[in-house]
Amino acid sequence: MSRHEVKLPDGFDDPVFAEPWQAQAFAMTVALHDEGLFSWSEWAEALSAEVKKPGAASDGRDYYEHWLAALEKLLSTKGVAGKVEVDALAAAWERAAHATPHGKPILLENDPGLGR
């Protein structure tokens, strides 16, 4: 049998990310690591701590929620952005998304809460 005839396991062609925000969180983590904000061992430790918390889904469906929580904690620990700043920015993006017409790019300046 040639390698072109090999049957791949079920789910092999499934998307890696179920939601766009998961891909964005992944990309942000890689970019912040590349900028030297944290080492991979620091990242592994932070993510592991989140995944091991009580209440984590045994099937891993909440993996990227843990990923995001780990990233937010590292940002806070490293003094880049605290929980209040992260939550405020997330709320601003949410307001901008709701204020943006369908099919148009979501821009932070569309946030009606900016008080312009």
Side-chain angles (χ1 to χ4, degrees):
M1 174 184 296
S2 77
R3 69 177 198 198
H4 299 289
E5 298 171 9
V6 173
K7 167 107 172 78
L8 297 174
D10 289 339
F12 187 80
D13 289 329
D14 290 349
V16 175
F17 305 104
E19 302 283 337
W21 70 266
Q22 296 171 346
Q24 293 164 348
F26 181 90
M28 282 190 294
T29 302
V30 172
L32 291 168
H33 167 267
D34 288 349
E35 289 297 317
L37 184 65
F38 50 81
S39 68
W40 283 131
S41 61
E42 287 176 297
W43 169 250
E45 186 177 314
L47 180 57
S48 179
E50 289 298 319
V51 171
K52 290 178 182 176
K53 284 187 172 178
S58 61
D59 64 0
R61 70 180 174 278
D62 56 356
Y63 179 76
Y64 280 102
E65 291 169 28
H66 295 298
W67 183 289
L68 190 56
L71 182 58
E72 289 175 357
K73 284 188 179 164
L74 273 175
L75 290 174
S76 180
T77 300
K78 298 291 185 172
V80 175
K83 181 164 176 38
V84 171
E85 292 89 359
V86 170
D87 289 348
L89 189 56
W93 278 108
E94 186 72 23
R95 288 188 303 268
H98 287 293
T100 301
H102 181 73
K104 299 290 182 185
I106 299 170
L107 305 171
L108 192 55
E109 52 262 23
N110 292 346
D111 173 13
L114 286 178
R116 291 180 287 166

